[in-house]
Amino acid sequence: MKTLTPKAFASSGFRIVPLPTNVAEEARQAAQSGAADHVVIEVDSANGYPCRHCLRWAQPGERVILFPYAAIPAGHPYSETGPIFVHAERCDRYDATREYPEDFRNGRALRAYDARYNMVDAEVVNEGEPEQVIAKLFQNPKTEFLDARSVTRGCFTFRICRA
Ligand SMILES: [Zn+2]
């Protein structure tokens, strides 16, 4: 991996896809109405509760909603629903979509999927250079998108598409 500098690839190669705003809003409404699978949590650590909508760590004193999200929809061999957090209060959707989110430069695994949601590859982001891992995974023409997940707990964090 030497040809493409992170900055050059960041400006041309990929697009960050945070959780859609309507999904975050629906989770907030479900939590308010007392849905059993939507739990409001008081944040007690500075890097344990990543908000999938603004793509920042929720901070102590803030509240988040924990709920299940189908990152890979039902009906496929790799279908997967798992727990994610969003801020309980309204937050701004991450909009620097051509830049890898700074809060998650470490501690993520990137899973590559093809257009039919089959997992075709996966790599752990090490040394804080996710752009190089993204470039490498997108060199496979079968790769349609990447999902960034927690390397420890496996939870979906955000999607990365080709630019
Ligand atoms: Zn947020």
Side-chain angles (χ1 to χ4, degrees), residues 42-101:
E42 195 88 38
V43 171
D44 60 5
S45 95
N47 53 10
Y49 304 87
C51 175
R52 272 62 164 192
H53 186 244
C54 63
L55 297 185
R56 303 184 62 86
W57 294 108
Q59 293 303 298
E62 293 182 321
R63 293 181 314 141
V64 292
I65 297 161
L66 175 63
F67 68 103
Y69 176 67
I72 304 298
H76 304 277
Y78 284 94
S79 298
E80 196 163 355
T81 296
I84 63 170
F85 301 109
V86 294
H87 276 114
E89 315 300 330
R90 182 167 297 174
C91 61
D92 292 329
R93 191 177 189 221
Y94 183 80
D95 66 358
T97 53
R98 297 170 81 87
E99 294 164 27
Y100 190 93

Side-chain angles (χ1 to χ4, degrees), residues 6-7 13 16 18 29 37 40 50 64 91 127 141 162:
K7 276 273 188 279
I16 302 293
Q29 286 163 17
D37 59 353
V40 178
V64 292
C91 61
E127 318 273 328
R162 294 179 186 273

Side-chain angles (χ1 to χ4, degrees), residues 49 72 75 82 123 136-137 159:
Y49 304 87
I72 304 298
E123 292 254 353
K136 180 183 171 194
L137 290 170
R159 182 152 294 173

